[in-house]
Amino acid sequence: MRRSAFAAAIAVTATVAMPDVAFAAPNRPDRPSAEGADLIVVTKKGDDLSLRFREDRAAGGGEDRAAGAGVDPGGIVLGPEGGLSAALPDDPAFAFLGEPGRPVWSLAAGGPRFPAIDTTGVSGGDVTLRLVKADGPGKVAIYTLSEWGRPTVLLDSDGRTSVTIPAGRRLGGVAWTFDTAGTHELTFAAAAGREQVTQTYTVEVPPLVVAPASAGTAVGRAQAATTGQGATTNKAATSKAATGKAAIGKAATSTTATGKTVISDGHVDMGPQLDGSTWRVRLKDDATTPATWRELADVTLKVTDKAKIKIPAGDGYAFLGATGDPVWLLPQTQQDGIVWPGWNTQDSSVIAGVSGAVTWTLEGVTGPGAFKLFLTSSFGTPDVLFDSARALPQRLAIPLNTHAHGNWAFTRAGTYRLAVRMSGTTKAGKAVSDTRTLTIAVGDGTAVDDDAQPGPGATAQPGSGATAQAGQGGALAKTGANVALVAAGGLVSVALGAVTIFMTRRRKPSQ
């Protein structure tokens, strides 16, 4: 199967323990990608109910998602585009899944861009989704992941055939997992009110190839190299071919806004744009259609107390603090009422005008507590990408045409300022770089700048809180102890964790 943008950037370090994984089958460009797609889109207009498939359209920057009605899933075949096969882990906590080492395969699990179920086209009430029939050589399970990577089964071929989803929701982070190669036909029925619609999806599962432990570096893992200050980066980072029609070095057509704004809900991405020789790091706000690109200096991300959560038990999350301590967490899967920040290198000007990966550097952090950015697998195992408690700068290599989300954690309420730099090399060989400051106001009682105006669906919260000052030109104080870069190695955990849940079950987990 195709090595996705994330899979192509995987750098394995000695501290990352995970099952061996291999990628099989070539890319099928004639097939739509399930990566980040709305696999099931339920829409109701009058008495007309439809169930469709809507691709992410990553090359276009995602602006078409809200407007795109999708296509009839009966006319497409999914897989092996973007999939991943891996072995079940030797972990007693997951023994109910089957024998350790048994391979399974997940649709669109090449990185943390799992598919979604979208009911935003239905107003009021609930949508009932049923798995009417699962024809295929093996079992299938469809499930979601919690903030800490805990799975919840939605539908499966072992007997859980119905789930109720509130209307007006986009349920992200949905994994479709299969335990046997071959052609699977899944028939779904969606009901809203008195109306019902039925559709059949075809998924081709390639041979489940898992490299033996003795094979060394598995196919699909890039070799890691050490550069500068102990940082690990990936020389083999590659990208998908650009599919947009924008001219090289020209920014994609979109709205650019000026003026202060506060964003406390909805989807935003930080990423670079290239206009001729001008390289600029901006924030892409998806609250409008098309999306609005904003200057980082004009934006405050407001993290309300809806994001306040207690640190779970277990040594794996000790880097956040003690069990039971509060932390403000913006999870890698979107939740209502919480801003959902990510990062991307998908602007058509970047895809067309840049050669190789983009490097995201965390130059400095100020604030009343610590900032952590990490990924969580479905086994609950975190992989830390950035940690302000350790020495800065810290770097992350991001392949072109990447769109990703992680867990943004803040250990105390107050104002944080992150000095972020993104750099790359144009196809003409010119090095480009830009450093900006991203401001995050954490906690309901933390004040925002007086001249900041609430953005769409956002409300500035009054009150006072700790405020840290940035230095000139976005340079912030550096804190902590030395740390090596975690490049895309952390992304492996997300992918591997997602492909191992709820297959070859011997009993059903309690819900």
Side-chain angles (χ1 to χ4, degrees):
M1 69 198 67
R2 180 182 57 81
R3 290 168 59 181
S4 70
F6 277 101
I10 292 170
V12 181
T13 67
T15 60
V16 179
M18 63 193 71
D20 287 287
V21 57
F23 298 86
N27 179 25
R28 288 290 300 273
D30 57 314
R31 292 183 179 171
S33 173
E35 271 192 281
D38 296 329
L39 280 184
I40 295 177
V41 181
V42 182
T43 303
K44 185 178 181 181
K45 294 183 179 179
D47 293 334
D48 184 17
L49 189 69
S50 67
L51 194 161
R52 314 279 280 178
F53 165 86
R54 183 167 57 213
E55 197 172 4
D56 184 35
R57 303 185 185 185
E63 290 89 348
D64 296 329
R65 178 183 293 281
V71 299
D72 182 349
I76 63 175
V77 177
L78 298 173
E81 173 88 1
L84 182 76
S85 62
L88 292 174
D90 187 5
D91 185 340
F94 294 91
F96 64 90
L97 296 174
E99 294 296 327
R102 175 165 182 171
V104 293
W105 186 84
S106 185
L107 180 65
R113 295 185 59 226
F114 299 111
I117 298 175
D118 190 331
T119 63
T120 56
V122 180
S123 300
D126 293 325
V127 175
T128 300
L129 187 65
R130 292 189 300 118
L131 179 60
V132 178
K133 186 168 56 173
D135 289 335
K139 298 178 182 179
V140 59
I142 300 172
Y143 59 93
T144 59
L145 304 173
S146 73
E147 298 95 329
W148 305 116
R150 298 297 86 192
T152 298
V153 177
L154 301 179
L155 301 166
D156 67 22
S157 56
D158 273 353
R160 188 174 296 275
T161 59
S162 180
V163 63
T164 299
I165 302 172
R169 294 284 301 277
R170 183 172 183 267
L171 187 62
V174 181
W176 293 33
T177 310
F178 304 82
D179 72 346
T180 307
T183 300
H184 297 251
E185 292 188 347
L186 310 179
T187 301
F188 297 94
R194 297 182 180 180
E195 286 71 41
Q196 178 172 304
V197 61
T198 301
Q199 290 283 11
T200 297
Y201 288 70
T202 301
V203 181
E204 286 189 1
V205 176
L208 307 183
V209 181
V210 178
S214 60
T217 301
V219 176
R221 295 182 183 176
Q223 295 291 335
T226 301
T227 63
Q229 302 187 6
T232 302
T233 126
N234 172 29
K235 293 182 178 178
T238 59
S239 69
K240 301 176 186 176
T243 56
K245 296 181 180 179
I248 293 177
K250 294 294 183 181
T253 302
S254 61
T255 303
T256 301
T258 58
K260 299 288 187 177
T261 188
V262 179
I263 302 175
S264 63
D265 195 3
H267 176 228
V268 296
D269 283 328
M270 184 174 62
Q273 288 185 304
L274 183 63
D275 188 358
S277 61
T278 302
W279 175 266
R280 190 87 166 184
V281 177
R282 291 188 171 99
L283 193 78
K284 179 171 167 282
D285 182 0
D286 278 328
T288 62
T289 302
T292 299
W293 285 90
R294 303 182 184 276
E295 299 294 340
L296 262 63
D298 292 338
V299 176
T300 298
L301 298 184
K302 179 66 178 180
V303 183
T304 68
D305 285 346
K306 289 183 180 180
K308 191 176 182 180
I309 192 171
K310 292 183 178 180
I311 299 171
D315 294 340
Y317 290 94
F319 70 95
L320 290 174
T323 299
D325 282 354
V327 63
W328 283 258
L329 183 72
L330 302 176
Q332 65 192 41
T333 298
Q334 187 172 15
Q335 293 186 4
D336 290 341
I338 299 176
V339 64
W340 191 38
W343 58 95
N344 82 60
T345 54
Q346 288 186 321
D347 191 79
S348 58
S349 66
V350 175
I351 295 173
V354 173
S355 177
V358 172
T359 299
W360 174 12
T361 303
L362 182 64
E363 296 281 355
V365 177
T366 64
F371 161 66
K372 323 271 184 172
L373 177 61
F374 65 97
L375 300 169
T376 305
S377 79
S378 54
F379 298 123
T381 303
D383 286 298
V384 181
L385 304 182
F386 291 127
D387 186 347
S388 69
R390 301 187 178 189
L392 300 176
Q394 296 164 21
R395 301 174 182 86
L396 180 69
I398 310 172
L400 294 181
N401 209 1
T402 287
H403 174 210
H405 286 266
N407 301 287
W408 300 59
F410 304 88
T411 60
R412 294 184 62 186
T415 300
Y416 294 75
R417 289 185 171 87
L418 315 182
V420 294
R421 175 163 55 91
M422 288 189 173
S423 54
T425 303
T426 68
K427 289 185 176 178
K430 178 182 178 180
V432 289
S433 182
D434 188 35
T435 301
R436 299 289 157 181
T437 298
L438 178 65
T439 302
I440 304 106
V442 178
D444 286 350
T446 300
V448 298
D449 294 339
D450 293 338
D451 56 351
Q453 300 298 317
T459 302
Q461 300 292 330
S464 60
T467 302
Q469 298 299 322
Q472 298 296 321
L476 302 181
K478 300 174 183 179
T479 61
N482 189 28
V483 65
L485 163 74
V486 181
L491 304 173
V492 183
S493 181
V494 175
L496 293 176
V499 300
T500 59
I501 301 301
F502 295 106
M503 292 311 305
T504 61
R505 284 195 303 282
R506 297 189 174 177
R507 62 177 175 84
K508 292 184 182 177
S510 60
Q511 298 299 308

